[in-house]
Amino acid sequence: MNQQRNCEHLWYGADIVTMRDGQYNIIKDGAIAVDGQQIVWVGPYQEAGQFTPQRSTDFGGGIVTPGLVDCHTHLVFGGDRSHEFEQRLNGVSYSEIAAAGGGILSTVRATRESSLAQLVSSARHRLDVLLAEGVTTVEIKSGYGLEIASELRMLQAIRQLGQQVPAQIKATCLAAHAVPPEYKQTPDEWVDVICRELLPQVAAGQLADAVDAFCEYLAFTPAQVEKVFLAAQQLGLPVKLHAEQLSSLGGGALAARFNALSADHLEYATESDIAAMAQSGTVAVLLPGAFYLLRETQRPPVALFRQYGVPMALASDANPGTSPALSLRLMLNMGCTLFGMTPEEALAGVTLRGAQALGLAASLGSLEPGKLADFVHWPLERPAELVYWLGGQLPCRVIFRGEER
């Protein structure tokens, strides 16, 4: 006879889409036993009799997935760039807009003029929309301040958001996002400021969990990025990279050389980039929202990622210029329809692979004993429906750290 085990809460009455090993791995008529903030058991409901729970919840059908992870966003910023969206639709290129002082730099001006309270308030609205769709973990980057005080204020805003919402918020310092107007002729000086002044303050104040950079002809060269990454490494901060979005500069291989958590965008990644990423374990974060809005035609090499076994994550890239996307579920569909991912790969991309891109796969991203109890109940019959339905908000019940939010 099995020994009885206690648990605080038994959740049952739905099919459990565990996403173990990045696959659906569905447990029909399953149950999840939770103690404190952790999952202690997942299995068929008929085997749940070994538990004596303090509370029980019957979902009454449907499916349960891990909490969704949005591993690449720029949710904190000032101002609005809908006018640039209109310009692009009228034939003006992203490069031309940037050269005329628009693009990232127009958001920089608005962000510098915003107070900490204004940054938190405007970002909170956007964040709440994301969370309503079953997102339980969000990464948010700085990068629109491009001066020490404004970058620190953005990171402080991200930390404040993390204290306000029932979700895990990870902060990334992206001071190497664009060359500030003050350093237009001397970009190396801004790189030096980042390395010698800004990053030590960020590390000392524990304001960021990682450091990112934009390696592109519009932004920073591989040599400049390498300086930023060396400084981050010396401070014990992991790195990520915006790489190969608009051109091929070897950014994927550069990220791999520093054992980056992820390289993101990757439309122009080469086979050598991908081989290097496979060796380092660097996750490929695909961002179909920007691809869609910029009307790009060069797709990321999904077949090569599969061939080399590079994990693929998906994210919203929510930002004011190139991906004003506030639906991670829409990105699931775009990942499939625009990039050729399967629904199973797409769902893994916003669960286990998204967690992996943040260095959190040991505690998040799949429904397994020992992991945190972040999961979502959907009144659906199969996981592919999460990818299939366009628009609207699917009703869902979100459990974060074992408690319904």
Side-chain angles (χ1 to χ4, degrees), residues 145-161:
L146 303 187
E147 62 182 7
I148 291 176
S150 297
E151 283 292 305
L152 293 174
R153 188 162 63 249
M154 286 189 73
L155 292 168
Q156 288 162 357
I158 297 167
R159 289 300 194 218
Q160 283 197 20
L161 287 165

Side-chain angles (χ1 to χ4, degrees), residues 305-328:
F305 293 136
R306 287 192 193 116
Q307 180 184 326
Y308 280 86
V310 173
M312 292 181 286
L314 272 172
S316 69
D317 191 18
N319 75 68
T322 60
S323 186
L326 297 178
S327 171
L328 188 57

